[in-house]
Amino acid sequence: MSTFDVELTVNGTPRQGSVEPRRTLADFLREDLGLTGTHLGCEHGVCGACTVLVNGEPARSCLMLAVQARGADILTVEGLANNGVMNPLQQAMWESHGFQCGFCTPGFLMQITALLVENPNPGEEEIREALSGNLCRCTGYESIVNGVLRAAGHDGSPPEPRH
Amino acid sequence: MKPPPFDYSAPTTLDEALALLLEHGEDARPLAGGQSLVPLLSFRLARPSHLVDLAGISELGSIVVDDGHLVIGAMVRERAAERHDDVRLLAPLLAQALPLIGHPAIRSRGTIGGSLAHADPAAELPAVALLLDAELVAQSRDRGKRTIKAADFFSGFFTTALQPDEILTEVRIRRPALRTGSAIEEVARRHGDFAMVGAAAMVRLEDGKIADARVALTGVSDIPVRATEAEAILEGAEPTDEAFATAAEEAAKSLSPPADLHGSSSYRRHLATVLMRRTFKLAAQRAKEAA
Ligand SMILES: Cc1cc2nc3c(=O)[nH]c(=O)nc-3n(C[C@H](O)[C@H](O)[C@H](O)COP(=O)(O)OP(=O)(O)OC[C@H]3O[C@@H](n4cnc5c(N)ncnc54)[C@H](O)[C@@H]3O)c2cc1C
Ligand code: FES
Ligand code: FES
């Protein structure tokens, strides 16, 4: 099988590699670029652990081939913090105890990042709807939802009251 | 859970893509959003030797309005269609159906054409296409373009009228008549999962009576089906709860849904009855509001 050159931008930095077409974006990020923050759970699109942003849109990196990402702008969990300082979303999730084992966290953070860009002040229903494709086996989701509400508050508007 | 080896091309024109499909024969497959095909590869349920990526073909990626029809390119992403004003205006049922597909991160990659070509019996879009009498346009190198009615497109379990050398290029949907309302509802085990059963309905009112009622079901057969008994019962009737209940119950009698781990045949029939009733009612309500 032939190999393909992949050039793309990851977290603002141009990166490149050479892959077989069957290489998924997730494996490319993890194995070829050493960015192991993106986690793999189910490898068939169901758990959301591998979610990254592709040109600003959330996508399952286990369901995308690296060759399909040529020229794309990818944001992974490694791109959220700034010089080792957590961004407001990470800070809010940390303050809300939005994770336990942390396996699901990178996927949640990326999906929430996309949600907050589209809707900076989501209500609880909207948050649950947006996160319904991300599975967490530890937290029971309450603390994750609280983390998003807290993060939305960081943008100047108070979180909606809980009911 | 890793895909087997395959070759890959990324043509930038439809002609190029059609030539590649012809050259590689039955071992080649178009790749659209990959949200169904990549899992099939990873499970090794599909073993194509060559994938022809359609994402670089700009002529497949637009939504236009042409002569009262909404024309959606096969490579339009589900999420993009969901956000598009013309879709909401001209094909409200499609706009109602799209958010029921999987999750945002699935819809940002998955395409309208991919969902139709994949023809999952539980999928929303095939039922919507059937209900709306959508026209599906397919093209091959040797035989050129042909238009396939949705009623003739879905031929079996994950099977369509598309030939291996054909690419689905666009879907044409006629704008609804005046005083028409639509609704789609489904029951799934978990939010975002493929539904066990779904119903999409459309009701057109004239002088307070039902002039036209249609309903299509997912998950009750190997292809989406119209419940024509219910439609016939409702034609000319008053849009009352009783009429909708009778129509749904009568139509459900002739269904013999498949049974699996998620639900027995009779449970699915029950779901179909309830969902038909609900969607008829909601569609009629929306038709009244539209008047
Ligand atoms: C976790 C998860 C949940 C999901 N939930 C739902 C759901 O609830 N409802 C639902 O309907 N779908 C659901 N899907 C599937 C999703 O809608 C897919 O996007 C869709 O079924 C396939 O579209 P695609 O563009 O990804 O196509 P691909 O996966 O790229 O292709 C699917 C098949 O269609 C063929 N094909 C694609 N485009 C064309 C074309 N233009 N011409 C000819 N052949 C073509 C391919 O060769 C392949 O055989 C889900 C998927 C996942 C991973
Ligand atoms: S690893 Fe990609 S969705 Fe589970
Ligand atoms: S924190 Fe353990 S899976 Fe979510």
Side-chain angles (χ1 to χ4, degrees), chain A residues 2 22 27 43 57-58 118, chain B residues 2-3 7-8 83 108 191:
Chain A
S2 43
R22 64 164 159 166
D27 284 339
E43 296 193 288
E57 297 269 1
E118 192 164 315
Chain B
K2 306 288 179 192
D7 254 325
Y8 170 89
R83 290 177 177 145
S108 65
H191 187 96

Side-chain angles (χ1 to χ4, degrees), chain A residues 98-105 108 135-141 144:
Chain A
F99 47 87
Q100 290 178 22
C101 79
F103 190 85
C104 67
T105 309
F108 270 98
L135 302 184
C136 174
R137 300 305 298 264
C138 303
T139 62
Y141 302 100
I144 297 177

